[in-house]
């Protein structure tokens, strides 16, 4: 607890654990380490905590419940409501860092992590972090928490660079005000694309079309007071084939068939899709918008030609603006790609308390999007990582 006179003096520890990223995952790990008497220094390239959350669109709320989204050691206030807003998430992260008295260094970007030469008498030599300004930081262990939504990914569509219309990634979308009275195409029907499409309709856009390449699984965020997140927690450890069958039954009972509106039911199972990295769309108005015709599903984008957008079915449209909700890259290659710890898609091969065989003392958190809720999983990972690091520290091989 903050101000505890019996807590160890962590400033005397010669090499701290460096946590890269001051989002929810990084802050949670730092707090869990501090609670175990391990000095943790959080390094953040922006000027404050929760940088990615500050950049999200205005209407965003957590799709997981307040009670199941708290980080270790501090509950989310009841006044935030059941579905916590973006602004309240930022307030919570600021309070979290203050409450746990976290050691935070802002405005410093770590660009590369390398193994340190073995320190005499210390076994493993830890890590050297190369950071902006020519800094070299010596770490006993490193936790990478730079975020699931790190670098916007914009497909290399033919004609993209010469498109005469307005094209932007969803990262730059804030609210519908600039698009009032306009014809807007939203590309991508994940949670971000679905919510932006609904936001545009409610904000007065004249026409909203939603380009769909692969039909999504759509779930009610809550049914009869039971949040979808709790179902995700219950089924997460079950075989994918069984969860696929259960998901299909629930969908038929709770979500209308939108095939007549251009949004058919998916042909692959819900949990099989999750295993591939595609989380179901939590309905925050998309179903009603599609049924009412205010959001029009259309074919996927194939190319741009002049002022036209060419769709996969051969049709051409000329929207005033195209908003690409096409996801993000983890962008870890420059940081740790040389260590052999990433898979073919650039994702960490290990997460949580599991440290790679060839990179002991290197940990990752927040690079998955589990059906049970990202905040909940990051909170659990934080405790596991802290326990593993403390155990290694006691063994003399932090």
């Amino acid at each position: 607890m903050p101000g505890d006179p019996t807590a160890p003096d962590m400033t005397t520890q010669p090499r701290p654990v460096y946590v890269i990223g001051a989002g929810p995952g990084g802050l949670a790990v730092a707090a869990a380490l501090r609670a175990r008497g391990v000095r943790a220094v959080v390094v953040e390239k922006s000027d404050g905590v929760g940088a990615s959350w500050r950049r999200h669109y205005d209407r965003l709320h957590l799709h997981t419940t307040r009670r199941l989204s708290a980080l270790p050691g501090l509950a989310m206030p009841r006044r935030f409501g059941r579905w916590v807003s973006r602004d309240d998430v930022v307030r919570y992260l600021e309070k979290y860092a203050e409450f746990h008295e976290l050691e935070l260094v802002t405005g410093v970007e770590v660009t590369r992590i390398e193994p340190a030469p073995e320190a005499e008498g210390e076994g493993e030599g830890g890590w050297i972090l190369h950071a902006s300004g020519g800094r070299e930081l010596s770490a006993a262990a490193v936790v990478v928490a730079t975020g699931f939504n790190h670098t916007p990914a914009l497909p290399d569509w033919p004609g993209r660079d010469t498109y005469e219309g307005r094209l932007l990634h969803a990262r730059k979308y804030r609210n519908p005000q600039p698009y009032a009275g306009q014809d807007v195409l939203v590309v991508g029907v994940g949670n971000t694309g679905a919510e932006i499409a609904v936001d545009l309709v409610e904000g007065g856009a004249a026409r909203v079309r939603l380009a769909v390449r692969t039909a999504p699984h759509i779930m009610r965020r809550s049914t009869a007071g039971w949040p979808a997140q709790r179902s995700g927690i219950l089924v997460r450890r079950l075989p994918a084939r069984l969860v696929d069958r259960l998901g299909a039954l629930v969908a038929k009972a709770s979500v209308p068939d939108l095939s007549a509106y251009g949004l058919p039911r998916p042909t692959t199972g819900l949990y099989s899709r999750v295993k591939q990295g595609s989380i179901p769309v939590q309905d925050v108005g998309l179903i009603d918008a599609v049924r009412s015709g205010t959001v029009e599903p259309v074919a996927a984008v194939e190319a741009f030609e002049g002022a036209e957008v060419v769709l996969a079915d051969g049709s051409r449209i000329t929207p005033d603006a195209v908003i690409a909700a096409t996801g993000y890259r983890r962008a870890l290659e420059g940081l740790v790609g040389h260590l052999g710890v990433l898979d073919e898609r650039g994702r960490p091969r290990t997460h949580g308390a599991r440290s790679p065989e060839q990179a002991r003392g290197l940990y990752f958190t927040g690079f998955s999007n589990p059906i049970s809720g990202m905040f909940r999983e990051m909170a659990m990972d934080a405790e596991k990582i802290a326990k593993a690091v403390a155990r290694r520290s006691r063994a003399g091989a932090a």
Side-chain angles (χ1 to χ4, degrees):
M1 292 293 292
D4 183 355
T6 65
D9 180 8
M10 289 176 285
T11 62
T12 63
Q13 298 178 11
R15 292 187 305 168
V17 175
Y18 276 98
V19 180
I20 307 174
L27 297 179
V29 170
L33 285 166
R34 180 178 174 82
R36 286 170 171 78
V38 177
R39 185 186 175 199
V41 178
V42 182
V43 183
E44 168 59 45
K45 69 177 181 179
S46 71
D47 59 1
V49 304
S52 64
W53 276 91
R54 297 175 193 273
R55 292 192 296 264
H56 286 312
Y57 49 94
D58 295 348
R59 73 171 279 161
L60 178 65
H61 285 67
L62 287 178
H63 291 153
T64 54
T65 66
R66 170 179 54 82
R67 288 187 175 183
L68 294 175
S69 300
L71 303 178
L74 184 66
M76 287 188 172
R78 183 184 294 271
R79 68 177 182 277
F80 285 179
R82 194 180 199 193
W83 312 106
V84 183
S85 71
R86 180 205 66 179
D87 289 346
D88 282 336
V89 168
V90 172
R91 292 187 185 98
Y92 173 71
L93 296 178
E94 291 174 338
K95 180 63 177 178
Y96 191 85
E98 177 187 353
F99 179 82
H100 287 290
E101 298 181 344
L102 300 183
E103 196 171 344
L104 181 64
V105 177
T106 59
V108 174
E109 181 178 8
V110 177
T111 56
R112 187 175 177 88
I113 300 171
E114 293 182 339
E118 286 196 351
E120 186 177 352
E122 291 186 10
E124 298 179 23
W127 299 90
I128 297 295
L129 281 62
H130 299 272
S132 54
R135 298 174 179 86
E136 289 191 358
L137 310 174
S138 180
V142 180
V143 182
V144 180
T146 49
F148 189 81
N149 296 333
H150 187 275
T151 301
L154 196 63
D156 189 19
W157 288 300
R160 186 192 74 183
D161 295 337
T162 56
Y163 176 54
E164 296 173 5
R166 184 183 180 193
L167 170 63
L168 67 151
H169 190 272
R171 164 69 71 85
K172 295 183 179 179
Y173 177 87
R174 291 293 175 269
N175 59 63
Q177 184 176 348
Y179 308 95
Q182 294 189 8
D183 181 340
V184 186
L185 173 66
V186 180
V187 184
V189 68
N191 278 294
T192 297
E195 191 158 0
I196 287 176
V198 173
D199 198 32
L200 288 165
V201 168
E202 295 176 356
R207 185 176 189 180
V208 178
R209 283 173 282 204
L210 184 60
V212 180
R213 183 171 299 278
T214 304
H217 286 276
I218 303 175
M219 299 177 61
R220 301 288 188 182
R221 187 167 63 174
S222 179
T223 303
W226 179 265
Q229 181 189 7
R230 288 199 177 274
S231 297
I233 293 170
L234 290 174
V235 305
R236 190 181 179 201
R237 303 298 180 187
L238 296 178
R241 186 176 300 178
L242 174 59
V243 180
D244 286 347
R245 289 199 294 267
L246 292 173
L249 292 173
V250 171
K252 287 182 179 179
S254 61
V255 177
D257 186 356
L258 301 175
S259 299
Y261 304 93
L263 203 59
R265 294 191 188 277
T267 56
T268 55
L270 183 150
Y271 204 34
S272 294
R273 190 79 67 80
V274 169
K275 294 287 190 181
Q276 298 168 2
S278 179
I279 294 295
V281 171
Q282 301 285 314
D283 178 46
V284 291
L286 180 66
I287 293 174
D288 289 343
V290 169
R291 294 178 78 181
S292 68
T294 53
V295 170
E296 309 168 47
V298 297
V301 171
E302 286 294 304
F304 293 87
E305 290 185 9
E308 294 183 325
V309 181
V310 183
L311 303 181
D313 61 2
S315 61
R316 295 166 178 259
I317 60 176
T318 55
D320 297 308
V322 179
I323 301 173
T326 47
Y328 295 81
R329 295 186 295 107
R330 311 296 87 82
L332 292 169
E333 289 80 5
L335 188 68
V336 296
H338 55 288
L339 300 175
V341 296
L342 304 178
D343 66 15
E344 64 281 356
R345 296 173 61 183
R347 303 173 303 180
R349 296 182 186 275
T350 62
H351 74 278
R354 291 192 298 126
S355 190
E357 288 287 342
Q358 72 275 32
R360 292 299 187 186
L362 179 64
Y363 303 89
F364 296 90
T365 184
F367 293 99
S368 62
N369 196 7
I371 196 172
S372 50
M374 184 179 285
F375 270 57
R376 178 179 180 272
E377 293 300 318
M378 287 190 294
M380 295 171 64
D381 278 350
E383 298 286 8
K384 293 174 183 177
I385 291 171
K387 183 177 180 180
V389 171
R391 183 168 57 244
R392 288 171 57 80
S393 180
R394 287 193 301 268

